[in-house]
Amino acid sequence: DGDLRPEGKQFRLENVVIRNTPEDFADGRMQASGALTLHGISLRGFDLRFNGQLQVLREDSSRLMGQAFYGDLTAETGPQGLSWQGDLERSLLKGTVLIRNAQITLPPERESPRYSVRLIDVIRAQDPKQSTARLEVTEEPSSATPTAPPETRKPSFVDRIDFDLVVQTQGNTQVRFVFNRQTNDVLFADLRGRMGFQRDPSSMRLTGEVEVTNRSYYNFLKRFGATGKIMFTG
């Protein structure tokens, strides 16, 4: 919602607000300001500012087959807001993003893998007279079929956005890594920290420190505690 006011070769943004629908997140509101520069009727460039908070991910609407991750995510801009400058060929998004609430799940790469079962006879050496036991070993078959080389994909508009962001936790931030649903092989991480993320056409860097709090655990047949710190240096 808002207005575009023509001013020479520009359209300036006035009273522009991006909102979540009230039934999704009543407090989701972000103000946008800045200008769009035109060349004829084509967009030549933009210089925009954003300030506020939005729910950017919701589990019941983001959980799709093949999705890299899903869950709930609410983020807020830092005190200086976010700036986004550039054009359709190259742009830079810069600022601080505060994670107010995040409950993200990263599912296995394949939701329904195929498994084979082979049977192994197990005999106790101490007492050969005892009845043998049969052990079932479940394994995922390897594929001998060579995979075709990936097709060259033309860079999209999002691929041409550079980033210079600071991402900091400000509230509940939890991530579940699901490695195998059949064995309930799961890492649950409750996180706190601050990281810098920079990406341009030649490189991508992630720097900072994340604390894995004592509410975290790794589950595989039994539950193990998981705590510590993770350092990102590049």
Side-chain angles (χ1 to χ4, degrees):
D1 184 25
D3 300 311
L4 292 175
R5 180 166 57 87
E7 189 177 274
K9 294 183 178 181
Q10 291 186 332
F11 277 102
R12 302 203 66 81
L13 279 64
E14 292 188 348
N15 305 314
V16 174
V17 178
I18 306 167
R19 297 185 182 91
N20 288 114
T21 54
E23 56 269 22
D24 289 339
F25 183 55
D27 295 330
R29 177 186 175 91
M30 183 172 288
Q31 294 179 323
S33 59
L36 308 175
T37 303
L38 301 182
H39 180 70
I41 60 173
S42 301
L43 179 64
R44 184 173 185 177
F46 50 84
D47 183 357
L48 305 174
R49 299 287 187 276
F50 301 94
N51 207 309
Q53 67 173 347
L54 287 174
Q55 184 185 58
V56 294
L57 200 63
R58 197 182 70 182
E59 181 169 5
D60 57 359
S61 61
S62 66
R63 188 169 185 174
L64 302 172
M65 288 296 294
Q67 194 87 348
F69 60 88
Y70 59 86
D72 295 317
L73 176 61
T74 301
E76 182 179 359
T77 61
Q80 305 301 319
L82 291 177
S83 68
W84 189 19
Q85 298 173 304
D87 54 35
L88 297 180
E89 292 301 317
R90 201 89 238 164
S91 60
L92 174 64
L93 183 63
K94 184 176 182 178
T96 298
V97 177
L98 307 176
I99 305 299
R100 286 296 185 188
N101 175 64
Q103 298 181 51
I104 303 298
T105 298
L106 284 78
E109 290 186 2
R110 285 180 289 177
E111 288 286 351
S112 302
R114 291 180 297 174
Y115 291 90
S116 66
V117 175
R118 56 189 172 91
L119 302 178
I120 300 175
D121 290 327
V122 179
I123 303 174
R124 292 188 181 184
Q126 293 87 348
D127 188 358
K129 294 180 181 180
Q130 286 189 358
S131 60
T132 61
R134 180 150 284 195
L135 175 67
E136 292 189 7
V137 178
T138 303
E139 59 182 6
E140 187 176 354
S142 60
S143 174
T145 305
T147 57
E151 295 182 2
T152 303
R153 184 176 64 88
K154 186 178 179 181
S156 66
F157 173 67
V158 175
D159 294 329
R160 294 192 289 266
I161 301 176
D162 298 332
F163 296 94
D164 185 5
L165 297 174
V166 173
V167 181
Q168 181 174 345
T169 60
Q170 286 284 311
N172 189 34
T173 303
Q174 299 172 342
V175 183
R176 292 175 68 248
F177 299 87
V178 182
F179 303 112
N180 190 322
R181 295 186 186 277
Q182 295 183 345
T183 59
N184 195 26
D185 186 1
V186 175
L187 171 64
F188 171 83
D190 183 75
L191 305 176
R192 285 199 295 259
R194 175 185 174 94
M195 293 186 297
F197 174 57
Q198 293 86 32
R199 189 187 79 173
D200 58 39
S202 62
S203 65
M204 181 169 63
R205 290 181 56 82
L206 190 64
T207 56
E209 181 178 281
V210 173
E211 178 186 0
V212 182
T213 75
N214 57 12
R215 298 175 58 187
S216 308
Y217 62 85
Y218 174 58
N219 193 80
F220 181 67
L221 302 181
K222 63 177 291 185
R223 179 170 294 193
F224 301 90
T227 58
K229 292 183 179 180
I230 306 172
M231 299 287 296
F232 294 88
T233 59

